[in-house]
Amino acid sequence: MRVNRILLSSSLIVVALVVQVSVLARLHLPGAVPDLLLLTVLGLALVYGHVGGALVGFAAGLLADLAPPADHAAGRYALVLCVIGYLAGLVKPENGQVRSATGPMVVVVAAAVGSTLLYAGVGALVGDTDARHVGLGGLLFTAALYDLLLAPFVVPGVMALARRAENDPLAETNPAKSGDVASGWLSGGTGLRIGGQRNGLRVKAARARVARAGRIKGVKRL
């Protein structure tokens, strides 16, 4: 992963985890807790692809496993988000941009349901049966509902930041001369070329001088 990907992913993951632990987890909503960390991983995976999504998901899940007040085995949520990030990255658009909101919303619902089932399945393997006491059906429904309601405010923003970091103009090679950079930025906002404006002014001035000289000659002949 490139440096800009690592910096952006780390910042977004830390912010998402802090908000989820300090705000969302304290809302005491019925059923599941809105998973802001999952939505952040989905947004990055839809831009970075399956490999980047798996790496981001593993790092985000491991950080959540180690951050207090985690009460489960370390690596459990890392495995879940790694798998979810990999699968979400497989449906990444070719150009990195989504034409419709239907696709991401389907991915969010599938990820919410899949992560809950996978988390409960891994917990059953290690002897954690909390999902049975709470009710797996209620967890699946509330997880999908909460994540679906929160997704429009998170996933598009994360994807926009990831695409912007990928297309950083400072990191791209520019065949133009360094002296023309300022002119290019100035002309970018107006859609006009500075050189074209100068040439146009020169042509207009020359035509004005020719017309003025013609009028003077006509007066002298009279």
Side-chain angles (χ1 to χ4, degrees):
M1 297 179 69
R2 293 183 293 182
V3 177
N4 55 349
R5 287 189 177 186
I6 296 176
L7 294 177
L8 178 63
S9 301
S10 302
S11 302
L12 292 177
I13 288 172
V14 170
V15 172
L17 182 60
V18 170
V19 173
Q20 181 169 335
V21 173
S22 59
V23 178
L24 297 179
R26 298 184 179 182
L27 295 178
H28 301 291
L29 297 173
V33 177
D35 200 338
L36 183 61
L37 197 60
L38 173 65
L39 297 178
T40 303
V41 171
L42 291 179
L44 294 174
L46 290 175
V47 178
Y48 294 158
H50 59 283
V51 176
L55 294 176
V56 170
F58 179 80
L62 186 60
L63 184 61
D65 288 332
L66 300 177
D71 56 353
H72 54 268
R76 180 177 173 183
Y77 200 47
L79 174 61
V80 173
L81 288 187
C82 180
V83 174
I84 295 299
Y86 178 85
L87 295 177
L90 293 177
V91 298
K92 167 194 171 183
E94 295 182 357
N95 57 355
Q97 297 182 356
V98 180
R99 297 180 180 180
S100 175
T102 304
M105 292 300 101
V106 173
V107 173
V108 168
V109 174
V113 174
S115 62
T116 304
L117 290 175
L118 186 58
Y119 187 83
V122 175
L125 293 177
V126 298
D128 185 0
T129 59
D130 291 340
R132 296 180 181 178
H133 301 292
V134 176
L136 186 58
L139 285 177
L140 293 175
F141 176 76
T142 53
L145 178 62
Y146 296 154
D147 291 348
L148 188 61
L149 293 177
L150 189 60
F153 305 98
V154 179
V155 177
V158 172
M159 294 181 65
L161 290 175
R163 286 197 300 264
R164 186 173 182 180
E166 288 290 286
N167 299 324
D168 188 357
L170 297 179
E172 296 178 356
T173 56
N174 189 0
K177 297 180 180 179
S178 59
D180 296 333
V181 174
S183 299
W185 281 105
L186 290 175
S187 62
T190 59
L192 300 177
R193 296 181 179 178
I194 303 299
Q197 290 179 342
R198 292 177 179 175
N199 293 333
L201 292 176
R202 291 175 182 174
V203 172
K204 291 181 180 180
R207 291 178 178 176
R209 287 196 298 269
V210 171
R212 191 181 304 111
R215 288 196 298 269
I216 293 174
K217 291 181 179 179
V219 171
K220 289 182 178 180
R221 291 178 181 177
L222 293 176

